Amino acid sequence: MFKKLSTLLRDNRSFLLFISLMLVFRSAVADWNTVPTGSMLPTIVEGDRILVNKMAYDIRVPFTHIPLVKLADPTRGDIIVFDSKKADKKLIKRVIAVPGDTVMMRDNRLYLNGKPLVYTSQALSAYAPANVTEWQEELFGIVHSIRLNPQPSQLANFGPVTVPDNQYLALGDNRDNSADSRVIGFVPRDEIVGRSSSVVFSLDYNDYYLPRPERMMRAL
């Protein structure tokens, strides 16, 4: 039995080495994640596969959250992927406030360090239902789109709160339909595994999982 196993491993060592290196790469360097929900609409659509740069902030021991070298900290506007202990799952949200920032929301409009963010109405994006509105939100020079329901949810107001050290306030772009820092609290720095800035490819869940060519390699 041992001899057969040894022979099998020897005959397939190149393939096993490839698999091992690929797993290490996906764990510590870069990976792609499926987006199953609409909490980041209109920026990220259900069915998108987003590229995650796992070396954006830290070099970590593969298959762990143990940092070896700190490269950078998340900044406002970053789309982060993190393993939330409170939600007990991996989440994708946008960093709105960093340590030391004071932030509040009134009727879905954000105020950061006492200054209101600038909002500009925009045309509805593709796949958007007719009963929502979409706006451009300017986050101290970072412009991105958000989606609002006709009637604000209970999440439309909070704060003011000040972000503690080594924590971040992160929200979904689909503001009335996102379980984010308004639900799970601040995001600890050590739960953040990477940053996403592009869609690799996308499958349309409502159309027999057909690819969406217009979203391939789309910047976020």
Side-chain angles (χ1 to χ4, degrees):
M1 180 67 180
F2 178 76
K3 186 176 181 180
K4 288 183 178 180
L5 179 61
S6 178
T7 301
L8 180 65
L9 292 174
R10 184 176 65 252
D11 292 344
N12 294 277
R13 61 180 179 270
S14 295
F15 175 73
L16 294 173
L17 177 61
F18 170 77
I19 294 296
S20 299
L21 291 175
M22 184 180 69
L23 291 174
V24 170
F25 180 88
R26 293 189 62 180
S27 170
V29 180
D31 198 3
W32 58 87
N33 289 124
T34 301
V35 180
T37 71
S39 69
M40 283 294 292
L41 286 165
T43 308
I44 302 176
V45 179
E46 300 100 314
D48 283 353
R49 267 65 171 175
I50 61 171
L51 182 65
V52 181
N53 179 3
K54 294 193 171 182
M55 296 179 64
Y57 306 122
D58 301 289
I59 297 175
R60 298 176 183 265
V61 176
F63 312 110
T64 75
H65 279 235
I66 301 172
L68 295 174
V69 179
K70 178 179 176 180
L71 301 176
D73 284 317
T75 60
R76 301 184 195 101
D78 284 0
I79 296 176
I80 57 170
V81 178
F82 57 101
D83 291 321
S84 173
K85 293 180 180 178
K86 289 189 177 179
D88 195 28
K89 59 183 176 181
K90 190 181 298 294
L91 296 176
I92 302 166
K93 306 295 178 186
R94 186 183 298 277
V95 174
I96 298 297
V98 299
D101 283 344
T102 298
V103 59
M104 72 176 182
M105 179 181 280
R106 294 292 181 267
D107 296 325
N108 270 322
R109 291 178 176 262
L110 286 165
Y111 297 77
L112 189 57
N113 297 326
K115 298 180 180 180
L117 301 193
V118 176
Y119 293 85
T120 307
S121 179
Q122 67 176 31
L124 291 180
S125 58
Y127 319 111
N131 64 336
V132 301
T133 59
E134 293 183 351
W135 299 76
Q136 283 192 336
E137 179 179 80
E138 184 175 346
L139 182 61
F140 287 12
I142 304 298
V143 178
H144 59 272
S145 298
I146 64 169
R147 178 175 293 182
L148 302 177
N149 288 348
Q151 297 297 324
S153 71
Q154 294 180 346
L155 303 176
N157 297 279
F158 73 84
V161 295
T162 300
V163 184
D165 289 342
N166 295 313
Q167 308 217 28
Y168 296 82
L169 188 140
L171 303 178
D173 289 347
N174 192 358
R175 291 289 160 81
D176 292 311
N177 294 283
S178 177
D180 43 41
S181 285
R182 296 169 293 179
V183 176
I184 62 172
F186 298 114
V187 179
R189 174 69 170 76
D190 60 9
E191 289 185 356
I192 299 173
V193 298
R195 180 183 66 215
S196 181
S197 57
S198 64
V199 177
V200 181
F201 65 97
S202 182
L203 300 178
D204 192 341
Y205 292 165
N206 297 317
D207 192 13
Y208 304 101
Y209 289 82
L210 292 175
R212 298 184 179 110
E214 73 278 7
R215 294 196 64 78
M216 291 184 64
M217 303 310 299
R218 182 187 180 95
L220 297 176

